[in-house]
Amino acid sequence: SVLQVAAGLNGWQVIKEEKAGVLADRKLAIKDDGATPTSAIEIGTKLVSREAAFKACGAETSPSLDQGDHCKSINQDAYQLALNVSSQRALSRFQRLGRPLVMAADKKPTPPAGPWWIWNYLSYTDKSSEVEVASWYAFYPLSGPAYGAGNHYCKLLSPARALEWIYIDSLRAPGSNLYKVNVSVVV
């Protein structure tokens, strides 16, 4: 309930509630048939903006420090990490038969507020020869609203999801079951 999770402030209770909802609801339950990924859908992060970090160090700041596709850059690093730690056999098979993940520009929800960022998931778009991954972000400069000032929120690619892609899912035919997140949000 909203009271138990303290309107989202009690993280442990949020996790317990989400887990109970997935396990109890047959429509949301994940079948263990190999067709659905088992790694994290995404990693939702709250990061201190560069502007806030510079200010904390006493350096000159500017909102322009946070311009650019920072989530995309982090996702590329997660994907590269997965490629680097893959076995030579899996990597060779992936390079021969699989389709690469390509990171796309970060997307800003409309309106750019917390709930719209929360309710949008990391997106995977099948481009036939590759799969495009796009992150949702919300950035608030130090001059922004008090609740978010100096924060940068990113939906990130889990390195485990990237490994699962390299080892298994990239080998599926184009157009097959690609990470379609089917989650109903009840407000």
Side-chain angles (χ1 to χ4, degrees):
S1 79
V2 173
L3 292 176
Q4 288 173 314
V5 300
L9 297 176
N10 182 341
W12 177 247
Q13 194 63 38
V14 170
I15 291 168
K16 284 174 43 182
E17 187 172 289
E18 291 293 321
K19 180 180 173 185
V22 169
L23 294 176
D25 187 340
R26 293 285 177 218
K27 291 179 283 185
L28 290 177
I30 297 172
K31 287 185 199 173
D32 189 12
D33 61 2
T36 305
T38 57
S39 56
I41 293 169
E42 65 192 15
I43 301 172
T45 61
K46 177 180 181 181
L47 309 166
V48 171
S49 70
R50 291 177 180 190
E51 183 185 15
F54 273 52
K55 182 178 181 180
C57 294
E60 194 172 318
T61 68
S62 167
S64 66
L65 290 167
D66 291 297
Q67 291 176 348
D69 292 324
H70 298 296
C71 306
K72 174 185 174 181
S73 175
I74 297 168
N75 286 336
Q76 184 60 50
D77 288 345
Y79 182 51
Q80 189 60 54
L81 173 66
L83 289 167
N84 292 346
V85 300
S86 294
S87 73
Q88 190 54 50
R89 184 175 176 194
L91 191 57
S92 175
R93 181 180 59 239
F94 170 70
Q95 290 168 338
R96 199 173 64 254
L97 303 170
R99 296 181 297 146
L101 294 177
V102 176
M103 305 310 143
D106 297 342
K107 301 189 294 188
K108 188 173 195 168
T110 304
W116 286 266
W117 176 80
I118 291 167
W119 297 332
N120 281 298
Y121 295 92
L122 194 65
S123 68
Y124 298 85
T125 306
D126 195 334
K127 299 284 189 178
S128 191
S129 64
E130 62 190 29
V131 173
E132 196 173 82
V133 179
S135 176
W136 291 92
Y137 79 97
F139 167 68
Y140 300 97
L142 286 176
S143 61
Y147 65 83
N151 290 312
H152 198 129
Y153 299 84
C154 285
K155 296 294 184 112
L156 298 178
L157 174 66
S158 160
R161 177 62 58 107
L163 274 169
E164 192 171 15
W165 178 258
I166 292 164
Y167 275 74
I168 301 165
D169 296 320
S170 71
L171 306 174
R172 298 184 198 281
S176 61
N177 182 21
L178 252 193
Y179 305 152
K180 301 283 189 229
V181 179
N182 185 14
V183 178
S184 299
V185 178
V186 179
V187 180

